[in-house]
Amino acid sequence: MRVIASYNIKGGVGKTTTAVNLAYLAAREGSRTLLWDLDPQAAATFLFRVRPRVKGGSRGLVTRRRPVEDAVKATDFDNLDLLPADFSYRNMDLDLDDTKRRTRRLSQLLKELAPDYDTVFLDCPPSVSLVSENVLWASDTLLVPLIPATLSLRTYDQLTRFVADAEGNRPDVVAFFSMADRRKRLHRDVIEAIPRDRGRVANTVVPSLSLIEQMAERRAPVPAFAPTSRAARCYEQLWAEVRER
Amino acid sequence: MTAGTRTLQPADGEGLDVDRVVAALGRRFTVESGSRRAVRRTHVDTFDRRLLAAGLALEHDVTARQEALVLTRADGPGASATATGLRWPAFPDALPEGVLRQTVAAPAGIRALTALGQEKRRLQLLELRNADDKVVVRVELDEPDEGAPARPPTVTVRELRGYADEAARAVKALVATGLRPAPDQVAVDDDQGRTPVADRRQPAHVLLAAALGGFATAMDDNLPGLLDDVDTEFLHDFRVAVRRTRATLKIGRPALPHPMRSEWEPAFKWLGDLTTPVRDLDVYELELPTMGGWLVAADEADLAAFATHLRRRRTAVRRALVRGLRSQRYRRLRADWDLALDRLGDEARDSGLTAGELADQAIRRAARRVVRGGRSVTADSPATDLHDLRKRCKELRYALEVFAPVVDTTMRKKVVGDLKDLQDVLGRFQDTEVQRRALRSFAEEMMADGTPAEAVLAMGELIGHLDSEQDRARAEFDTAFGTFARPAGVQRLLHLGGHR
Ligand SMILES: Nc1ncnc2c1ncn2[C@@H]1O[C@H](COP(=O)(O)OP(=O)(O)OP(=O)(O)O)[C@@H](O)[C@H]1O
Ligand SMILES: [Mg+2]
């Protein structure tokens, strides 16, 4: 089972959009896929039309009083299941803090799901917290959407330091530019300035496209409602790069 | 992902009223109908119906756009796979790789899969959505079109993970339109060739004679293939028939004349023991490729010495087996057994027990023994306690098989399902125990023969793997037994016969 986390300390950079589209593509290829919406705001859960409700909440899961698999919901797509968000996830940090091995709990919970899934995506809330430490421990790959602006590169540096300083598991970090606007000079400059040689930044650039914004109205992944669109092709390309790592 | 399915069909001989189905579902869900598709369906099995005997049904569906294999099983979730250009007959290794192929290959073994029938059907998929416009249930309509239909029209409700209540509501709505649960499309192996319903008031010994006669025929059917060593399966099936005979004699004691116990129980024990050594070696030989996969440090090639060792041993013990089965003793046993069964069948004098009474008695007794045995198992119980419990489970299983004709079919299947899970855990625990010990003694024999060290080390690795497998089975025991012994399950067992 491979665990891929869509993560950035910053908000609104396209984490959820990426997790939803790539999870859909993985499942479409036949990989048994689970997306865990860890964000109490439940954006990914909303996109799949699932109710943001987990019986027993964060505490039930974290204390293992409620088996994780009981919370899983099928999406409308073959091979793709969702572990929904719940408003109680806003306290997940505190719940984790009360447990033994507090940075490894998420990883343990995911192990229980290993027989059922080949690929797991984690859609993370934007923060540095005990939840994100758990995400680091649980993931094989951190997928980091970056908006091509100077500030976002600084957060990216912070993030690589956070990973480097982490104890235990250090996932592979794959960053990529998201919501890029070629008409903006700054965007072009930043994209060109970044060295791709060390393989830290993906070749695929996801441009800012109105079709991607429409996901919220259509409540579906882009390749599901516009399979031949440019936006769908971008995510296919990105998935091909991430899959090969 | 799909969690489970329920198949319904119209009352006898009636067609499917699609509009009515859609209307009934439409009162609870938003129904989205997919387009209709024509499918050419081929039913596939080995010539001797091995898949059917294993509780499986394999269908090859070809539509204009795609080709699919669909496997249904009597006791659990099925599997499906997309296929291209399959032609029958074909060997299991021609199927697309995956769960489906593995499930089919186990019972089919080296036999070819052939087309046993073909028909045209019409399929239609309905998606049921909730108020959030989320798909919560899928329903598949499947109607005969041309050709001799292997089944009536069916409506299959596919439950989606996390939406069990919605699926249950859909089933209720469909039942309200007059649809009924389809009888299991696949017969469970032990029901094969037997009428599902017999008179509970018939004398018990008549039912026992019929069952024993069936097992005797199975022995005869498998004997030639066994003697010629065509395939290990012949010996296996022969042994199953012997084991069932022995179990039936034991369960039937209260209703059988005394010589059955004093003469025939020992006679069949001899026969069983005669066949054991070859089968044990067959099991290792069949498992060898799997065992190769357990190795981490050692190389699969290091098992070559083990394979040679097994083959040499097998040649020796097979000679003894063939001698035994060609002997005067066996021929006499077999002829006398026919006579004994004839006499039993028309015995005027009987024990006074009816088939129904004996069934209730035997099943209850065996069930209580399993429950008591399982409850006494604690974390520190020795392996022998679990072994003993496994035997008790087997007795119960045989009782459920022999008396299948006189107990409630649906309840029986539920009970057998629970019992199977428990038997599976106990079986894995015990088999790893036995294999571990056997491998150790094989390794010793091989060392004495001067086999190179790598080969012996590889054996050590296999033993290590078995150790951890055994621990795993042990850890699963509590849950499996808890499920089996839950009040509802036990009540069902104790009242299996009460319905008729
Ligand atoms: N490539 C894109 N082009 C246009 N709009 C985009 C693109 N990617 C994301 N968006 C939009 O930007 C908004 C934020 O995206 P998204 O929710 O995926 O970010 P996020 O990082 O998950 O946010 P949060 O930190 O709040 O969880 C959404 O409205 C989304 O539709
Ligand atoms: Mg988000």
Side-chain angles (χ1 to χ4, degrees):
Chain A
M1 185 177 79
R2 179 171 176 202
V3 181
I4 302 170
S6 186
Y7 179 68
N8 193 327
I9 301 165
K10 253 175 90 71
V13 295
K15 297 182 291 293
T16 299
T17 307
T18 309
V20 166
N21 286 316
L22 297 199
Y24 171 84
L25 290 170
R28 194 177 73 179
E29 284 178 354
S31 176
R32 295 168 306 161
T33 306
L34 177 76
L35 170 61
W36 189 351
D37 184 356
L38 285 166
D39 188 341
Q41 300 201 47
T45 306
F46 170 84
L47 287 176
F48 284 111
R49 304 165 193 260
V50 173
R51 303 214 174 125
R53 173 98 184 87
V54 172
K55 271 201 195 121
S58 151
R59 181 154 276 272
L61 292 179
V62 166
T63 56
R64 299 175 101 161
R65 270 201 299 271
R66 301 275 186 165
V68 251
E69 63 256 35
D70 285 6
V72 172
K73 298 281 180 189
T75 68
D76 290 5
F77 308 103
D78 281 346
N79 288 327
L80 182 54
D81 286 351
L82 177 83
L83 192 47
D86 186 279
F87 196 50
S88 65
Y89 285 5
R90 70 194 189 283
N91 299 324
M92 197 181 263
D93 260 35
L94 302 174
D95 296 331
L96 285 166
D97 207 14
D98 291 342
T99 62
K100 267 193 264 171
R101 304 212 170 135
R102 50 194 212 120
T103 57
R104 273 189 255 173
R105 189 36 66 100
L106 219 58
S107 158
Q108 286 172 338
L109 294 179
L110 287 172
K111 285 212 176 82
E112 288 170 24
L113 296 167
D116 285 352
Y117 299 100
D118 305 311
T119 313
V120 174
F121 282 88
L122 303 177
D123 183 22
C124 306
S127 64
V128 177
S129 63
L130 198 46
V131 176
S132 24
E133 277 182 67
N134 267 273
V135 166
L136 279 200
W137 200 296
S139 306
D140 302 297
T141 305
L142 276 201
L143 190 57
V144 185
L146 297 174
I147 296 177
T150 328
L151 223 53
S152 73
L153 292 182
R154 285 209 25 225
T155 44
Y156 175 61
D157 289 337
Q158 281 174 350
L159 196 144
T160 40
R161 236 174 294 130
F162 174 51
V163 174
D165 294 344
E167 271 174 51
N169 181 52
R170 290 201 191 106
D172 196 16
V173 179
V174 182
F176 72 98
F177 289 113
S178 139
M179 296 193 232
D181 189 344
R182 292 259 169 198
R183 283 163 312 185
K184 290 189 182 152
R185 168 123 203 216
L186 174 66
H187 279 203
R188 281 201 312 269
D189 289 349
V190 171
I191 292 173
E192 264 136 46
I194 270 278
R196 303 274 169 83
D197 50 337
R198 274 171 301 165
R200 290 157 75 206
V201 179
N203 290 317
T204 308
V205 173
V206 178
S208 176
L209 295 168
S210 66
L211 198 66
I212 297 177
E213 269 173 305
Q214 281 178 33
M215 280 171 69
E217 287 148 59
R218 311 288 288 253
R219 296 181 78 175
V222 172
F225 68 82
T228 55
S229 63
R230 178 165 168 228
R233 263 185 323 204
C234 281
Y235 284 111
E236 280 164 3
Q237 231 179 61
L238 180 63
W239 173 232
E241 274 193 70
V242 173
R243 189 187 47 203
E244 293 320 318
R245 295 269 173 156
Chain B
M1 270 167 225
T2 316
T5 62
R6 288 283 298 275
T7 302
L8 304 167
Q9 63 184 42
D12 286 344
E14 279 175 41
L16 187 63
D17 185 344
V18 177
D19 292 341
R20 194 151 170 235
V21 163
V22 172
L25 294 171
R27 279 193 283 278
R28 289 175 175 77
F29 304 96
T30 311
V31 182
E32 208 170 288
S33 314
S35 60
R36 293 189 160 213
R37 284 176 299 143
V39 56
R40 197 178 72 230
R41 174 169 299 165
T42 311
H43 299 268
V44 181
D45 202 334
T46 65
F47 77 94
D48 54 353
R49 307 275 199 290
R50 289 188 162 245
L51 300 186
L52 178 71
L56 301 171
L58 181 60
E59 290 168 351
H60 180 209
D61 281 358
V62 181
T63 66
R65 270 192 293 151
Q66 60 179 9
E67 207 181 311
L69 287 163
V70 182
L71 183 72
T72 23
R73 50 193 302 170
D75 61 350
S80 59
T82 49
T84 35
L86 275 173
R87 295 273 170 281
W88 311 105
F91 285 98
D93 59 10
L95 305 181
E97 229 172 290
V99 185
L100 183 137
R101 175 158 116 189
Q102 284 164 13
T103 318
V104 168
I110 50 160
R111 286 171 182 72
L113 299 165
T114 55
L116 296 178
Q118 205 175 64
E119 61 174 311
K120 263 202 193 148
R121 295 183 76 98
R122 278 189 312 271
L123 304 183
Q124 188 174 14
L125 192 72
L126 309 178
E127 286 188 332
L128 311 188
R129 293 174 182 267
N130 64 10
D132 299 325
D133 214 19
K134 160 91 183 67
V135 179
V136 287
V137 186
R138 290 204 169 90
V139 176
E140 196 178 282
L141 311 179
D142 180 339
E143 299 169 87
D145 194 353
E146 266 173 48
R151 316 183 202 151
T154 57
V155 178
T156 303
V157 176
R158 297 191 191 285
E159 177 189 324
L160 295 176
R161 196 165 181 175
Y163 295 96
D165 293 349
E166 285 83 350
R169 255 187 284 142
V171 170
K172 275 208 187 113
L174 291 167
V175 168
T177 70
L179 293 171
R180 291 289 166 262
D184 276 351
Q185 287 149 31
V186 201
V188 183
D189 58 350
D190 42 38
D191 286 348
Q192 230 194 324
R194 270 186 243 158
T195 40
V197 188
D199 187 357
R200 279 176 61 88
R201 284 159 310 179
Q202 68 176 310
H205 69 260
V206 174
L207 179 94
L208 295 171
L212 291 167
F215 304 145
T217 313
M219 284 180 226
D220 293 346
D221 288 349
N222 284 287
L223 188 63
L226 189 175
L227 289 174
D228 293 345
D229 208 7
V230 174
D231 187 315
T232 56
E233 288 304 299
F234 290 100
L235 172 60
H236 177 248
D237 293 353
F238 184 88
R239 279 171 57 77
V240 169
V242 172
R243 225 169 20 222
R244 288 183 168 163
T245 303
R246 294 181 62 192
T248 305
L249 288 174
K250 195 165 167 207
I251 298 164
R253 278 178 193 168
L256 292 171
H258 193 260
M260 284 291 172
R261 180 164 185 180
S262 58
E263 271 175 47
W264 288 104
E265 287 190 21
F268 281 103
K269 177 176 187 324
W270 168 77
L271 188 55
D273 291 349
L274 178 67
T275 57
T276 301
V278 178
R279 178 62 195 172
D280 283 353
L281 292 169
D282 282 349
V283 170
Y284 292 107
E285 229 174 311
L286 293 170
E287 286 252 302
L288 215 52
T290 318
M291 289 183 173
W294 300 344
L295 294 177
V296 184
D299 193 89
E300 262 194 76
D302 294 335
L303 291 182
F306 181 37
T308 317
H309 182 79
L310 282 176
R311 222 160 296 132
R312 217 179 294 145
R313 286 275 311 254
R314 187 176 186 276
T315 313
V317 292
R318 224 190 90 77
R319 224 174 280 139
L321 170 65
V322 171
R323 218 181 298 125
L325 289 174
R326 291 220 162 104
S327 70
Q328 186 69 30
R329 179 171 180 185
Y330 178 72
R331 256 174 290 153
R332 199 172 317 125
L333 178 153
R334 188 61 199 83
D336 288 352
W337 182 231
D338 275 346
L339 291 178
L341 287 180
D342 282 351
R343 232 177 295 133
L344 180 62
D346 29 72
E347 192 114 23
R349 173 212 72 79
D350 74 54
S351 61
L353 273 176
T354 66
E357 286 162 353
L358 180 63
D360 296 351
Q361 236 181 54
I363 292 171
R364 279 191 199 163
R365 181 171 171 277
R368 291 211 177 95
R369 278 167 51 80
V370 171
V371 172
R372 229 178 293 131
R375 292 219 171 110
S376 71
V377 170
T378 65
D380 339 295
S381 295
T384 47
D385 283 10
L386 290 152
H387 181 41
D388 179 58
L389 181 60
R390 186 190 187 194
K391 285 201 242 163
R392 293 179 180 202
C393 286
K394 272 194 181 160
E395 280 168 23
L396 174 57
R397 183 75 180 277
Y398 286 127
L400 290 167
E401 281 179 18
V402 170
F403 297 114
V406 292
V407 298
D408 185 273
T409 314
T410 320
M411 294 231 278
R412 184 182 148 274
K413 282 195 174 140
K414 287 192 182 135
V415 167
V416 169
D418 285 348
L419 182 58
K420 260 189 186 167
D421 292 342
L422 177 59
Q423 284 187 296
D424 173 62
V425 171
L426 290 169
R428 276 189 287 137
F429 181 82
Q430 173 69 11
D431 291 346
T432 44
E433 172 82 16
V434 171
Q435 288 185 3
R436 225 170 38 158
R437 249 185 273 143
L439 287 183
R440 197 162 290 142
S441 79
F442 285 141
E444 277 163 16
E445 289 167 13
M446 286 160 65
M447 275 208 311
D449 285 353
T451 306
E454 301 82 69
V456 179
L457 287 173
M459 302 283 287
E461 223 187 290
L462 296 183
I463 293 170
H465 177 89
L466 288 169
D467 275 340
S468 53
E469 281 301 296
Q470 190 178 25
D471 289 347
R472 186 156 355 146
R474 182 68 184 83
E476 288 168 26
F477 170 76
D478 289 342
T479 314
F481 181 71
T483 307
F484 173 81
R486 69 188 188 284
V490 173
Q491 281 312 309
R492 204 182 274 144
L493 255 172
L494 298 181
H495 299 104
L496 264 184
H499 266 224
R500 287 213 185 91

